[in-house]
Each structure stands twice: as structure tokens, then as C-alpha cells.
Amino acid sequence: MEKITIEVDNEIAKAYREAETDKQRKMQTIINDLLKQMIKNKTLDDIIQEMQTQAKNNGLTQEILDDILNNE
């Protein structure tokens, strides 16, 4: 893997920095998968469906996602 820098909202940056390592890894997986799909010129609906499937396969439940999004 290679590192890149992407600008995000302050809220997202803070939540990521404060998240446990396991949650950070899950977020990285989701972002990586999203970017892969975007470069394949898939529709947003297709990307969302594939990301949901991938997230479930990687153990990212709705509860975990809500916790990540609400972590302040």
C-alpha cells in the first residue's frame, strides 16, 4: 500500500484521529474500496451497494458505522 493525503472536514479528521486502531483500519478499507470503484467509472448506486457488501464482509456493522460517525 502507498500513503496519500486527502483533505477532509475537521469533524472527520478529529473522529479518525480519536478512533481506535481497528476502527481506523475499517475506515481505510472503506475509503480504499470507494476510490477503487470510482476509478472504474461505476455508478454511485453500484459503488454504494458494493461498499455496503464489502463493509458487512469486513465486520463493519451499522452500529459501528454510527459510532464512527458520531464519535466526537
Side-chain angles (χ1 to χ4, degrees), residues 2-32:
E2 185 175 339
K3 291 185 179 186
I4 63 171
T5 302
I6 298 175
E7 289 188 28
V8 296
D9 293 341
N10 292 337
E11 178 181 358
I12 294 170
K14 182 177 186 261
Y16 180 82
R17 282 192 306 270
E18 294 176 355
E20 295 177 12
T21 303
D22 187 51
K23 288 183 183 178
Q24 288 180 349
R25 184 177 39 80
K26 289 177 181 179
M27 286 186 269
Q28 291 169 6
T29 299
I30 291 170
I31 293 166
N32 193 53

